[in-house]
Amino acid sequence: MRKRRIQISSVKCILLCLCIVFAMSSCVSTKNLPEGELLYTGQKSMVVKNFYPHTLGRTALEEVEAAVATAPNNAFMGSSTITLPFSFHLWAYNRYLKSESGVGKWMFDHFAKEPVLLSSVNPDIRIRAAKNVLRDYGFFNGNVSYETFIDKDDSLKAKLQYTLDMGNPSFIDTVEYRGFSTPSLRIIERGRQNTLLPSGTQFNVTALNDERTRISNILRDAGRYYFRPDYLIYQADTTLVPGRVSMRLVPIEGIPEAAERPFYVGEKTINVMGKYGEAPNDSIIYEDLRINFHNKLPIREKVLKRWVTYSDYRMKRRLQDSASIIGRLFRSENLYSLHRQNRIQERLTNTGIFRYIDMQYTPRDSALVSDTLDASINLMLDKPYMLEADFNAKFKSNNQMGPGASVTLSKNNIFGGAETWNVTLDGYYEWQTGKYRSSDMNSYQIGLSSSLVFPRILFFRLGKREYDFPATTTFRVYANVLNRPKYYNMRSFGGNVTYDFQPTSRYKHSFTPFKLAFNTLSRMTPEFVQLIIENPALYISLQDQFIPSMSYTMTYDNSGRSGVKHPLWWQNSLSSAGNVTSLVYKIGGKDFTERGKKMLGVPFAQFLKLTTELRYHYILDKNQMIAARVLGGFIWSYGNATTAPYMEQFYIGGANSVRSYTTRSVGPGGYPPDENNKYSFISHVGDMRLEANVEYRFRLVGDLDGAVFLDAGNVWLLRKDENRPDARFSLKKFPKQIALGTGLGLRYDMDYLVFRLDLGVGLHHPYDTGKKGYFNIPKLKDGMALHFAIGYPF
């Protein structure tokens, strides 16, 4: 009883001290205010009337909130509405304001911040800015006001509360183009179907500016080099139809005559500066191209010509169509085009070898009597060698952790055609943590790889035309050594040839016609021999074998296209292993599915693997979105073995999968984990995978975001395995064998880097747990998993 009284007394003492501190800080916070001033202590939640619940309404609300938001001294992570009871910076300001030396002066210089005064917030100016925001989004009859609330306990403190009345939005009725020359007007009218201001669109300044830019671009794409968006202005009438805006787009008064004249590209010159920026001192003529360079030309003439010549037949046809309007077909290929200029600059940038790129057009005469522009492209090569080092610490959800390092040496432009050769040395050391930690599972890996990347497609021609899109050919070889001191030493060798190309902004393709991997165990301890007897799946995954394969991957991504509100990403991949090799055996008289076939005396794998993944982001506004993902895959092995190589099989769980489970801790099917076996994770892989995730992401405060998610999925076997009962896929058992979990997450978004912390909570195990009902998790703590990761899960 006495101990309890002492504890209660201690709690009361702590609370009393906190109250005294807060009371003192309250008095101190207004101690040095200028006479007649009030300390601003934040905002009350905004009152919103007549909210327009659509995308532009939400955007307008967010921008109004941003226009009036002001953080007080005691703001929580920069918030204007969420505050802390005590501001250390304000306390330091008042406490050490008069300190001229010593600790007090140091504290003031490093921690003090002046009080935020109500007068400095200037709410009158802020509501004027907020009203301008409303007008920018078509809420012409909207209004913003504010009210001041004096603190009841301290008359020198005050809060603000803003009231927003959005009113009714206005919509665009018609848009007319007036005042342009006849050829320009025809070009504009031909592109009207792509207008960003169709009838019925809500009025907003962003769309108006984007439409000006679009009109300017299509005119510049048809030779109007000197045209600019600033030469266009809008005239609006809101009186004809209530709630409707009739608009007219016209050139500004005094627009330069040259702005609507077509210009043509004449001579082309490339200036290649020295590696230290030296001016060119020599030159050559290659076909119709003049190339100036310093001492020695570092890039082949043919390659430079290809980079700065745009020969896309679709672009040629568009230029001919534009030129036909003004009757200049015979010069259409030389007509200046903004699109052509941008594509040439992109092509040069994509080579990755230039530090500086500048493209200029100079008129033949200053009076612009001539309609010819001479093009000059200035280039400076980047450093020929590049050394990169990466150090990291891995924290895996399968209870492995340890440091890693990678060093890459690259040589750019190795053959004078923007080719890149690099050598990478990497390694890591991992040790086991968690319940079953053991030095037997510690390991280290060292790898050496080398790649040669060509910025074009080698060995294949895509017809007679040279299409203008980014493409690379990569040759890669590698060697790895994985050492588990008390178990085995595994060596891996391999190489591949891969073609990557992107014919459009939405579609990317990757084709690997040849990939060869070879894994071999060079040392096995007696302990490991006993282990593989107890775990046959482990031996299958690590046995000596060749994996000759080819693969193709297609990725669709529309996130980079303008006007896309809800981005979609879809990737499909098909891999085939051992089939070409088996075809050679077939020619030699052996059956295609016959077992025991070997390559250089070692068995090789035969399988067909298909995967697909679909991601969809439904963006509610700039502070919240719903992200969803569905993925699946299967692998079918035949011929030499009915079990696929371990690294090719599927698993679920972990930071980017079903987050209520750690990696390889559930499945296949209804096969339960062995809680008493630290190696049981080896068996939780399968031939088939289905998974779905949905996540609601929202802004908390500042750069801190939150998430609520729901994950479901599992893996299955396609063949029966006596050692893993209930693991084969069955339509009858499918619903009960879907693992289900939910959870909460935090994300700290630094734009270039995202730190993520997710707490997954299991709702349903796909196996029998002894508990009846769908929600069969015996204990809450048994169904929880915490994951720390970098980047979003999807």
Side-chain angles (χ1 to χ4, degrees):
M1 192 68 179
R2 185 178 179 183
K3 285 185 178 180
R4 185 178 179 185
R5 286 179 180 174
I6 292 173
Q7 291 173 353
I8 293 174
S9 298
S10 300
V11 172
K12 287 182 177 179
C13 182
I14 293 173
L15 291 175
L16 180 61
C17 291
L18 289 175
C19 290
I20 293 172
V21 169
F22 290 147
M24 291 178 63
S25 65
S26 178
C27 297
V28 170
S29 63
T30 57
K31 178 181 177 182
N32 292 306
L33 290 179
E35 187 175 351
E37 293 284 359
L38 297 177
L39 179 68
Y40 169 71
T41 57
Q43 296 174 199
K44 292 188 175 185
S45 297
M46 178 180 288
V47 177
V48 181
K49 300 177 182 179
N50 297 317
F51 175 64
Y52 183 64
H54 292 279
T55 302
L56 288 178
R58 288 191 290 266
T59 303
L61 174 59
E62 293 167 6
E63 294 194 14
V64 166
E65 290 176 333
V68 300
T70 307
N73 289 102
N74 58 336
F76 176 69
M77 297 188 72
S79 172
S80 59
T81 57
I82 305 175
T83 57
L84 300 171
F86 175 66
S87 172
F88 175 75
H89 298 292
L90 184 56
W91 171 83
Y93 175 85
N94 287 288
R95 176 68 178 82
Y96 299 109
L97 176 62
K98 299 180 180 179
S99 298
E100 297 181 356
S101 61
V103 176
K105 181 68 166 58
W106 183 87
M107 288 286 292
F108 184 85
D109 292 340
H110 288 81
F111 299 106
K113 288 186 179 179
E114 294 185 7
V116 179
L117 305 178
L118 184 63
S119 60
S120 66
V121 174
N122 212 330
D124 292 306
I125 292 179
R126 293 184 179 277
I127 64 171
R128 285 201 293 270
K131 290 176 182 178
N132 288 335
V133 170
L134 289 178
R135 285 192 288 271
D136 287 348
Y137 286 94
F139 298 96
F140 297 116
N141 57 351
N143 188 48
V144 183
S145 59
Y146 74 93
E147 187 177 355
T148 304
F149 291 86
I150 304 298
D151 194 310
K152 295 179 181 180
D153 300 323
D154 191 340
S155 60
L156 295 180
K157 294 181 178 181
K159 283 182 177 288
L160 291 174
Q161 184 175 47
Y162 293 91
T163 299
L164 166 65
D165 186 348
M166 298 192 75
N168 299 314
S170 296
F171 299 87
I172 292 175
D173 187 18
T174 57
V175 178
E176 296 182 11
Y177 306 115
R178 295 281 187 89
F180 296 94
S181 65
T182 300
S184 295
L185 185 59
R186 288 178 179 175
I187 294 171
I188 295 172
E189 288 291 351
R190 286 174 64 89
R192 182 182 279 274
Q193 69 273 16
N194 299 319
T195 180
L196 303 177
L197 302 175
S199 179
T201 301
Q202 183 177 337
F203 180 96
N204 76 91
V205 171
T206 302
L208 298 183
N209 290 333
D210 291 344
E211 177 70 0
R212 287 199 315 165
T213 301
R214 187 188 71 84
I215 296 295
S216 175
N217 287 346
I218 63 175
L219 288 174
R220 296 192 70 198
D221 205 28
R224 276 67 175 171
Y225 173 76
Y226 289 100
F227 203 93
R228 298 293 183 268
D230 294 340
Y231 293 160
L232 299 171
I233 60 172
Y234 288 98
Q235 297 172 347
D237 190 342
T238 60
T239 61
L240 296 177
V241 181
R244 291 280 183 168
V245 183
S246 297
M247 306 202 66
R248 185 178 294 167
L249 184 63
V250 299
I252 63 171
E253 245 184 89
I255 182 173
E257 183 270 336
E260 292 194 71
R261 279 179 55 196
F263 283 83
Y264 299 82
V265 179
E267 296 179 358
K268 297 177 184 178
T269 303
I270 298 180
N271 300 308
V272 184
M273 292 174 276
K275 60 181 179 180
Y276 299 111
E278 299 93 339
N281 56 11
D282 201 351
S283 65
I284 60 171
I285 303 295
Y286 181 79
E287 297 182 359
D288 62 342
L289 185 66
R290 182 181 183 86
I291 305 174
N292 301 322
F293 54 91
H294 180 75
N295 291 346
K296 181 181 178 183
L297 183 61
I299 306 169
R300 299 194 301 274
E301 301 93 328
K302 182 179 179 181
V303 174
L304 278 173
K305 172 70 175 179
R306 183 171 68 243
W307 289 345
V308 301
T309 302
Y310 193 95
S311 57
D312 187 352
Y313 76 98
R314 291 170 297 183
M315 181 64 199
K316 181 178 179 180
R317 185 173 60 188
R318 183 162 71 245
L319 290 176
Q320 288 176 341
D321 290 343
S322 299
S324 65
I325 297 171
I326 56 176
R328 306 290 287 273
L329 279 173
F330 69 99
R331 298 181 66 191
S332 62
E333 289 189 29
N334 294 326
L335 187 69
Y336 168 80
S337 166
L338 175 64
H339 179 78
R340 177 190 282 129
Q341 175 183 331
N342 290 338
R343 293 299 288 161
I344 291 174
Q345 288 180 320
E346 288 175 12
R347 181 185 286 177
L348 292 170
T349 301
N350 289 335
T351 63
I353 65 171
F354 296 112
R355 183 192 318 175
Y356 173 78
I357 301 172
D358 179 47
M359 199 167 181
Q360 298 178 351
Y361 291 87
T362 306
R364 283 282 173 87
D365 63 274
S366 58
L368 298 180
V369 175
S370 171
D371 62 357
T372 302
L373 304 171
D374 293 326
S376 178
I377 303 174
N378 302 310
L379 305 173
M380 181 186 293
L381 286 171
D382 206 345
K383 297 177 181 178
Y385 290 96
M386 182 178 296
L387 182 65
E388 296 178 304
D390 180 30
F391 300 93
N392 59 73
K394 297 182 179 181
F395 299 89
K396 296 184 178 180
S397 53
N398 61 352
N399 295 326
Q400 292 284 131
M401 64 176 294
S406 174
V407 179
T408 300
L409 176 64
S410 301
K411 174 68 168 70
N412 295 325
N413 196 39
I414 187 170
F415 300 131
E419 303 86 357
T420 301
W421 174 66
N422 62 65
V423 177
T424 300
L425 175 66
D426 57 20
Y428 68 83
Y429 181 81
E430 290 185 348
W431 58 83
Q432 185 82 358
T433 64
K435 181 178 179 181
Y436 300 112
R437 57 182 178 271
S438 169
S439 60
D440 295 343
M441 296 300 292
N442 293 358
S443 66
Y444 68 82
Q445 178 171 318
I446 299 176
L448 181 66
S449 64
S450 180
S451 299
L452 183 60
V453 183
F454 293 82
R456 57 190 178 276
I457 299 293
L458 294 183
F459 310 129
F460 294 100
R461 283 295 300 268
L462 302 176
K464 294 183 179 180
R465 304 184 186 97
E466 182 175 336
Y467 289 86
D468 185 78
F469 51 72
T472 60
T473 303
T474 302
F475 298 89
R476 179 177 181 267
V477 293
Y478 71 89
N480 290 323
V481 176
L482 173 62
N483 186 59
R484 297 191 184 277
K486 295 187 178 180
Y487 283 82
Y488 61 83
N489 182 291
M490 184 174 73
R491 299 178 182 178
S492 302
F493 308 92
N496 62 273
V497 180
T498 300
Y499 296 98
D500 296 296
F501 50 98
Q502 186 176 354
T504 70
S505 60
R506 289 174 292 175
Y507 289 94
K508 297 179 182 178
H509 304 269
S510 180
F511 175 52
T512 302
F514 174 77
K515 181 179 180 180
L516 182 63
F518 175 64
N519 301 328
T520 178
L521 290 174
S522 60
R523 177 180 60 84
M524 293 187 291
T525 65
E527 292 89 343
F528 180 69
V529 173
Q530 181 62 34
L531 181 62
I532 60 177
I533 294 175
E534 299 173 358
N535 298 270
L538 179 62
Y539 177 70
I540 294 175
S541 68
L542 298 175
Q543 66 179 345
D544 293 358
Q545 62 179 326
F546 277 104
I547 308 177
S549 63
M550 61 174 58
S551 65
Y552 167 72
T553 299
M554 185 275 291
T555 304
Y556 172 86
D557 184 2
N558 66 359
S559 61
R561 293 178 64 87
S562 61
V564 174
K565 296 180 179 179
H566 310 300
L568 178 69
W569 184 92
W570 188 23
Q571 185 175 86
N572 297 280
S573 181
L574 176 64
S575 301
S576 173
N579 294 319
V580 174
T581 311
S582 295
L583 185 61
V584 175
Y585 272 87
K586 179 69 174 179
I587 296 173
K590 287 194 174 184
D591 186 73
F592 191 78
T593 60
E594 180 181 339
R595 297 191 181 185
K597 299 187 292 292
K598 295 183 178 181
M599 176 187 291
L600 302 178
V602 179
F604 59 85
Q606 278 183 270
F607 63 79
L608 186 68
K609 184 177 183 179
L610 175 66
T611 61
T612 183
E613 181 176 354
L614 180 68
R615 303 176 185 177
Y616 180 69
H617 290 171
Y618 187 85
I619 299 176
L620 301 172
D621 54 51
K622 68 178 183 180
N623 289 324
Q624 55 180 341
M625 66 180 296
I626 296 175
R629 175 178 68 169
V630 178
L631 66 157
F634 78 89
I635 183 168
W636 179 256
S637 298
Y638 49 89
N640 270 359
T642 56
T643 301
Y646 188 78
M647 298 305 295
E648 296 289 343
Q649 296 184 56
F650 301 104
Y651 63 88
I652 65 167
N656 298 322
S657 182
V658 182
R659 283 162 282 185
S660 55
Y661 299 93
T662 56
T663 304
R664 293 186 180 91
S665 64
V666 66
Y671 176 65
D674 186 352
E675 298 291 341
N676 299 315
N677 185 356
K678 61 185 177 183
Y679 307 110
S680 65
F681 69 90
I682 294 172
S683 302
H684 294 291
V685 292
D687 307 315
M688 176 179 172
R689 178 188 185 186
L690 287 175
E691 185 177 329
N693 316 84
V694 62
E695 182 171 286
Y696 172 55
R697 300 170 183 170
F698 52 91
R699 179 68 53 84
L700 287 175
V701 58
D703 295 328
L704 186 65
D705 298 341
V708 179
F709 55 83
L710 183 69
D711 302 326
N714 204 344
V715 296
W716 292 267
L717 299 181
L718 296 178
R719 293 184 174 94
K720 188 175 182 180
D721 186 348
E722 298 294 340
N723 295 317
R724 289 181 285 180
D726 212 18
R728 188 178 182 182
F729 179 77
S730 168
L731 282 176
K732 182 179 180 181
K733 298 180 180 179
F734 173 75
K736 292 184 178 180
Q737 291 183 348
I738 292 291
L740 183 67
T742 185
L744 303 171
L746 292 174
R747 291 96 170 86
Y748 184 67
D749 192 345
M750 303 172 63
D751 291 334
Y752 59 91
L753 196 63
V754 177
F755 294 98
R756 174 164 56 95
L757 186 66
D758 286 330
L759 176 63
V761 180
L763 299 176
H764 174 74
H765 284 328
Y767 50 86
D768 183 14
T769 64
K771 185 177 181 180
K772 295 182 179 180
Y774 182 78
F775 301 100
N776 60 353
I777 311 296
K779 295 180 181 178
L780 180 63
K781 67 179 183 67
D782 295 335
M784 298 175 66
L786 185 65
H787 304 279
F788 174 75
I790 294 178
Y792 289 102
F794 52 88

